[in-house]
């Protein structure tokens, strides 16, 4: 722990020296006022698996727990959500309007996230019309409507009672949304059904370098992610992070307390399943500790079976 703290302090000092030198030379630091994820110490994507490969074998709940959750290790699962009926059915707004046109959703009024901003309730059909008329506005952030559950299926390695999967959220926009850099106290599996998303993902050890305070709401950074001020926040220039893109059908496991920032492109729909906790939670929230229970998980269905169940109306679906 002392070594990590010393290394972080040294990195911070080096970043400040570099920024000071740049200022002395009359120039701004490299990456100054650029979008987060386009400069600095990008180490590339985390581990990824191609679930569409002919030789891919579905991961078991035990493997997922021991190799990723227990190690706080992120994972990209390319193509996993292509198995969902949603990948085909949600390709156009017409289907969604036919299913939930009169359903009330809650939308943020601007696409650049402002924590604490009041959401606007409106019918989904009205959201589609409003978003088309004002592309710079409206971003649905809400619970996934129950009537759409059959279009999705939990990944097999999560379909176990011990994972305590919560009500899934969904995120809908015409693209161009920007989240703040933040961390969540619970784990999540983020599956992109339509569009593309650029992610910045950083380990908890990088909190200080990104100026993230656990005292702030949700553990947020004060950075303007669209225009990062490296003169005000010099250590961001040397902070270590993963930058990568998810395509439609890809899923990303984000361990609890990992920092992340998301920029969406094109018409965009994602479903997030929240589960478990690390103990580093908001005291106001219930603790949701993950335990691997072999008795509960040993007879888990495969992803293909879950997909067939979602399409055919039987079996186990997204809870």
């Amino acid at each position: 722990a002392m070594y990590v703290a010393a290394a972080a302090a040294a990195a911070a000092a080096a970043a400040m020296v570099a920024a000071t030198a740049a200022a002395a030379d009359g120039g701004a630091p490299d990456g100054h006022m650029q979008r987060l994820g386009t400069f600095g110490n990008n180490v590339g994507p985390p581990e990824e698996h191609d679930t569409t490969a002919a030789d891919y074998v579905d991961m078991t709940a035990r493997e997922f727990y021991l190799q990723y959750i227990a190690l706080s290790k992120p994972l990209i699962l390319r193509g996993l959500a292509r198995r969902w009926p949603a990948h085909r059915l949600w390709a156009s707004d017409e289907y969604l309007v036919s299913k939930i046109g009169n359903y009330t959703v809650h939308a943020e009024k601007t696409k650049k996230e402002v924590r604490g901003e009041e959401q606007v309730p409106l019918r989904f059909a009205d959201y589609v019309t409003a978003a088309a008329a004002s592309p710079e506005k409206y971003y649905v952030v809400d619970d996934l409507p129950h009537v759409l559950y059959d279009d999705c299926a939990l990944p097999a390695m999560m379909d176990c009672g011990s994972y305590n999967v919560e009500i899934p959220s969904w995120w809908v926009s015409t693209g161009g949304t920007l989240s703040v850099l933040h961390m969540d106290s619970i784990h999540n599996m983020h599956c992109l059904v339509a569009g593309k998303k650029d992610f910045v993902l950083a380990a908890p050890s990088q909190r200080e370098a990104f100026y993230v305070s656990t005292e702030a709401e949700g553990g947020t950074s004060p950075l303007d992610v669209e225009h990062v001020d490296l003169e005000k926040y010099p250590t961001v220039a040397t902070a270590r992070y993963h930058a990568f893109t998810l395509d439609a059908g890809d899923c990303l496991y984000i361990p609890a307390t990992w920092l992340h920032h998301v920029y969406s492109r094109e018409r965009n729909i994602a479903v997030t399943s929240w589960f478990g906790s690390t103990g580093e939670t908001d005291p106001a929230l219930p603790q949701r500790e993950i335990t691997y229970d072999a008795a509960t998980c040993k007879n888990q269905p495969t992803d293909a079976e879950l997909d067939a169940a979602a399409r055919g109306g039987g079996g186990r679906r997204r809870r």
Side-chain angles (χ1 to χ4, degrees), residues 65-190:
Y65 177 80
L66 294 177
Q67 298 175 24
Y68 300 97
I69 295 175
L71 300 179
S72 186
K73 184 179 179 181
L75 174 67
I76 299 172
L77 293 161
R78 299 285 184 191
L80 185 64
R82 292 183 195 174
R83 306 176 182 187
W84 296 0
H87 182 65
R88 171 177 51 86
L89 295 173
W90 298 3
S92 70
D93 290 328
E94 286 76 13
Y95 170 81
L96 292 171
V97 169
S98 73
K99 295 284 285 188
I100 59 166
N102 289 320
Y103 185 93
T104 298
V105 297
H106 295 85
E108 297 183 0
K109 292 178 284 188
T110 59
K111 290 187 173 181
K112 188 172 183 177
E113 183 182 10
V114 178
R115 287 286 167 117
E117 181 181 56
E118 185 176 355
Q119 290 185 309
V120 178
L122 69 170
R123 294 189 321 131
F124 184 79
D126 294 334
Y127 155 75
V128 171
T129 301
S134 303
E136 76 285 357
K137 294 182 180 179
Y138 303 113
Y139 177 26
V140 173
V141 181
D142 208 343
D143 292 342
L144 180 69
H146 287 183
V147 71
L148 297 178
Y149 276 26
D150 286 359
D151 295 346
C152 311
L154 277 175
M157 70 253 196
M158 290 173 57
D159 197 36
C160 298
S162 58
Y163 281 88
N164 297 314
V165 180
E166 309 209 342
I167 295 173
S169 301
W170 77 326
W171 319 74
V172 185
S173 76
T174 55
T177 61
L178 285 158
S179 78
V180 297
L181 180 66
H182 67 287
M183 66 174 214
D184 297 307
S185 61
I186 56 177
H187 305 263
N188 81 70
M189 181 67 76
H190 188 91

Side-chain angles (χ1 to χ4, degrees), residues 13-304:
M16 290 181 183
V17 169
T20 302
D25 290 339
D30 289 344
H32 180 59
M33 303 308 288
Q34 294 180 19
R35 184 161 62 86
L36 186 65
T38 63
F39 63 87
N41 191 12
N42 173 17
V43 297
E47 182 179 332
E48 54 183 85
H49 295 176
D50 181 2
T51 69
T52 66
D55 59 350
Y56 179 76
V57 178
D58 289 331
M59 187 181 303
T60 68
R62 185 171 187 272
E63 289 170 335
F64 183 47
Y65 177 80
L66 294 177
Q67 298 175 24
Y68 300 97
I69 295 175
L71 300 179
S72 186
K73 184 179 179 181
L75 174 67
I76 299 172
L77 293 161
R78 299 285 184 191
L80 185 64
R82 292 183 195 174
R83 306 176 182 187
W84 296 0
H87 182 65
R88 171 177 51 86
L89 295 173
W90 298 3
S92 70
D93 290 328
E94 286 76 13
Y95 170 81
L96 292 171
V97 169
S98 73
K99 295 284 285 188
I100 59 166
N102 289 320
Y103 185 93
T104 298
V105 297
H106 295 85
E108 297 183 0
K109 292 178 284 188
T110 59
K111 290 187 173 181
K112 188 172 183 177
E113 183 182 10
V114 178
R115 287 286 167 117
E117 181 181 56
E118 185 176 355
Q119 290 185 309
V120 178
L122 69 170
R123 294 189 321 131
F124 184 79
D126 294 334
Y127 155 75
V128 171
T129 301
S134 303
E136 76 285 357
K137 294 182 180 179
Y138 303 113
Y139 177 26
V140 173
V141 181
D142 208 343
D143 292 342
L144 180 69
H146 287 183
V147 71
L148 297 178
Y149 276 26
D150 286 359
D151 295 346
C152 311
L154 277 175
M157 70 253 196
M158 290 173 57
D159 197 36
C160 298
S162 58
Y163 281 88
N164 297 314
V165 180
E166 309 209 342
I167 295 173
S169 301
W170 77 326
W171 319 74
V172 185
S173 76
T174 55
T177 61
L178 285 158
S179 78
V180 297
L181 180 66
H182 67 287
M183 66 174 214
D184 297 307
S185 61
I186 56 177
H187 305 263
N188 81 70
M189 181 67 76
H190 188 91
C191 292
L192 187 60
V193 179
K196 295 179 180 290
K197 281 191 173 181
D198 297 331
F199 270 82
V200 170
L201 190 63
S205 62
Q206 301 300 302
R207 287 181 197 165
E208 186 175 348
F210 280 113
Y211 301 87
V212 173
S213 169
T214 54
E215 302 300 319
E217 181 188 358
T220 58
S221 168
L223 301 178
D224 178 343
V225 293
E226 199 169 14
H227 306 288
V228 180
D229 188 340
L230 292 179
E231 294 178 341
K232 185 175 182 180
Y233 304 109
T235 60
V236 175
T238 55
R240 179 183 173 92
Y241 66 90
H242 304 273
F244 53 94
T245 299
L246 291 188
D247 296 308
D250 294 343
C251 295
L252 170 67
Y253 163 56
I254 305 175
T257 73
W258 273 64
L259 312 177
H260 50 286
H261 153 67
V262 190
Y263 172 69
S264 70
R265 293 187 275 141
E266 307 170 3
R267 176 179 175 274
N268 214 275
I269 306 178
V271 174
T272 288
S273 297
W274 307 94
F275 63 102
S277 101
T278 61
E280 286 193 56
T281 57
D282 183 327
L285 297 175
Q287 298 293 301
R288 292 175 286 270
E289 183 180 359
I290 291 177
T291 56
Y292 173 70
D293 182 349
T296 302
C297 299
K298 65 181 179 181
N299 294 319
Q300 67 183 74
T302 65
D303 282 320

